[in-house]
Amino acid sequence: MQTEPKHDSYDAIVIGGGFYGCCVALLLREYCARVLIIEREDDLLLRASLVNQARVHNGYHYPRSYLTALRSYINFPRFVLDFQDCIDSSFEKIYAIARNQSRVNAFQFYKTFSSIGAPISIAPKSIKSLFNHRLIEEVYCVKEYAFNAVKLRKILKQRLSALGIETIFDSSVSHISSRESDPIRIHLNDRPVLSAKHVFNCAYAGINDLLSNSGLPPLPMKYELAELALIEVPDPIKKLGITLMDGPFFSTMPFPSRNLHSLSHVRYTPQESWQYQAHFSPARYSKPINLPSNAIFMLKDAQRYLPSLKDSQYIDSLFEVKTILLRNEIDDGRPILFRKDYGIKNHSLIAGGKIDNIYDILKKIEESDIFKKAINAFAS
């Protein structure tokens, strides 16, 4: 495992070895001779890329953000094709609409996704019977998959290695700096300073820390310390992924990397939330987190709608800091973040709220004038 860079300078350095950081590096390698990923953990995809519901979105999760739903629907088949070896399509995905407190009703939900062409149909009686009909307005069968994050890591490591992209682990960037037309300087903790013509900050929850430490203005972000419960579900729902929309409700679906089901709840998954402040940084949760679980509350509430969950067995909980752009608090959308030349020339910020956003991000990078200039520079 590489812990030291092979060179002092690079064409491009990517900060953050999550899914986005790896995919950005793969794109950059098409144009750059020297590309380096700097990851603070001891392997790739160990944080937010691992600790999530492992859902390959097809839009259904975002009935209140038409653009997010549409982009997911467009990106879904491409992601499934590009990463087919880590895709789990062995279950049926179900979306149920609650009679009360839901921000969308059954008609709105069906109309939204049928209008964009996403597969959706009323569930058969055998599936409807699993729900408490007094609390559920309608139940739909849709097309949505899960991904195995461990297999996804293996795929990405093979692709990075095949292209000669360097990755150093256990390496934390303290700050970046630059003087006029000089390359950007990347200051590592306990390591020599590196330089790069272009830097891509893909550190997700760590984006604002790096900005603040570099004397740059932080972005308006909200953070949630989120709990993902892992459960053994009873046989009637073992081959189902179920999401109850669209308010203070829950979702349970296969979590392939652990051969379990995940369970999240809008009310109980966020254990605390805050807006960015340097003295209350997400970095306080940079180490493994051992906190009391809210899983019992998730299960108790979810059982009201899906009674068979009472026979589930709680196994474990995973905790991670979820990052949300404040402008999406109202519509629950998950657009991409791409800011070029942020505070320093050739310094770009990149983030997305879900895994299939990656294609929108890569397209933005390729279309940006900074990237076109970089291609000419690298070619010369």
Side-chain angles (χ1 to χ4, degrees):
M1 182 175 292
Q2 185 176 345
T3 58
E4 299 294 336
K6 295 179 180 179
H7 309 284
D8 296 327
S9 63
Y10 290 84
D11 296 317
I13 286 180
V14 177
I15 301 171
F19 177 72
Y20 289 0
C22 291
C23 290
V24 168
L26 288 168
L27 173 66
L28 293 171
R29 184 60 184 86
E30 295 181 23
Y31 308 98
C32 311
R34 289 183 181 178
V35 179
L36 172 70
I37 298 173
I38 300 175
E39 170 54 43
R40 70 180 183 184
E41 304 293 334
D42 60 8
D43 207 343
L44 301 174
L45 278 70
L46 286 183
R47 300 302 302 264
S49 298
L50 172 67
V51 185
N52 61 76
Q53 280 203 302
R55 185 196 307 265
V56 184
H57 284 273
N58 203 1
Y60 308 102
H61 212 62
Y62 301 98
R64 291 180 288 117
S65 178
Y66 186 83
L67 179 59
T68 302
L70 179 62
R71 293 309 306 169
S72 290
Y73 170 68
I74 291 172
N75 290 331
F76 177 83
R78 184 176 175 185
F79 184 92
V80 172
L81 179 63
D82 286 351
F83 299 99
Q84 55 188 299
D85 290 343
C86 75
I87 297 297
D88 182 353
S89 59
S90 64
F91 62 96
E92 186 157 20
K93 190 66 181 72
I94 306 300
Y95 275 78
I97 310 300
R99 290 190 185 278
N100 301 308
Q101 294 183 282
S102 179
R103 296 187 178 106
V104 297
N105 60 37
F107 173 79
Q108 292 169 328
F109 187 83
Y110 181 85
K111 184 175 178 60
T112 296
F113 297 106
S114 60
S115 69
I116 66 174
I120 183 169
S121 61
I122 295 176
K125 289 183 179 179
S126 59
I127 290 179
K128 283 189 176 184
S129 65
L130 297 171
F131 294 87
N132 181 344
H133 71 275
R134 296 192 307 273
L135 300 179
I136 299 297
E137 182 185 0
E138 191 54 276
V139 181
Y140 296 105
C141 294
V142 302
K143 184 179 182 180
E144 202 168 64
Y145 301 149
F147 65 90
N148 186 319
V150 174
K151 290 183 178 180
L152 182 59
R153 179 192 304 137
K154 182 178 179 180
I155 292 169
L156 288 171
K157 290 178 80 169
Q158 289 173 342
R159 294 179 183 179
L160 293 168
S161 177
L163 292 177
I165 297 172
E166 288 185 57
T167 305
I168 59 172
F169 300 102
D170 298 314
S171 301
S172 180
V173 178
S174 63
H175 64 285
I176 63 172
S177 63
S178 181
R179 291 177 296 186
E180 297 180 359
S181 60
D182 290 348
I184 301 173
R185 293 168 61 84
I186 298 89
H187 303 260
L188 300 170
N189 293 326
D190 304 322
R191 282 178 172 82
V193 175
L194 302 175
S195 66
K197 297 174 183 175
H198 290 263
V199 172
F200 293 81
N201 182 347
C202 302
Y204 190 55
I207 285 176
N208 272 341
D209 277 344
L210 184 54
L211 293 177
S212 181
N213 293 340
S214 303
L216 302 175
L219 297 175
M221 287 180 168
K222 175 186 174 182
Y223 301 90
E224 292 180 351
L225 176 59
E227 176 186 4
L228 185 71
L230 299 178
I231 59 175
E232 285 268 16
V233 299
D235 287 340
I237 57 176
K238 201 172 280 283
K239 286 296 183 178
L240 298 177
I242 297 169
T243 298
L244 181 61
M245 299 295 284
D246 176 21
F249 303 129
F250 72 92
S251 184
T252 182
M253 58 184 293
F255 192 74
S257 64
R258 293 281 297 270
N259 199 28
L260 296 167
H261 269 56
S262 63
L263 176 64
S264 64
H265 192 291
V266 173
R267 182 181 296 124
Y268 299 113
T269 284
Q271 293 218 353
E272 58 181 286
S273 63
W274 68 98
Q275 294 185 28
Y276 183 76
Q277 304 170 62
H279 66 277
F280 196 73
S281 161
R284 68 200 295 257
Y285 298 116
S286 61
K287 300 298 180 184
I289 305 163
N290 184 18
L291 295 173
S293 172
N294 283 338
I296 185 64
F297 304 112
M298 299 183 200
L299 282 167
K300 287 292 185 182
D301 189 66
Q303 287 169 30
R304 295 191 296 130
Y305 304 93
L306 188 65
S308 59
L309 274 177
K310 70 179 186 300
D311 297 321
S312 298
Q313 181 181 356
Y314 169 70
I315 303 297
D316 195 9
S317 284
L318 305 176
F319 294 88
E320 186 53 274
V321 176
K322 181 179 178 180
T323 306
I324 305 167
L325 293 174
L326 284 178
R327 70 175 184 264
N328 296 121
E329 283 280 85
I330 297 175
D331 66 2
D332 200 37
R334 294 293 181 268
I336 61 172
L337 166 70
F338 176 56
R339 301 281 182 86
K340 60 182 181 180
D341 294 331
Y342 191 83
I344 296 175
K345 185 174 176 57
N346 297 333
H347 167 232
S348 298
L349 309 180
I350 291 175
K354 48 195 186 60
I355 200 162
D356 52 85
N357 276 153
I358 189 61
Y359 299 110
D360 295 330
I361 288 174
L362 298 181
K363 183 179 179 181
K364 285 283 188 182
I365 295 173
E366 288 190 297
E367 290 177 346
S368 66
D369 56 352
I370 186 174
F371 193 66
K372 291 174 183 176
K373 292 176 183 176
I375 293 173
N376 293 331
F378 297 146
S380 61

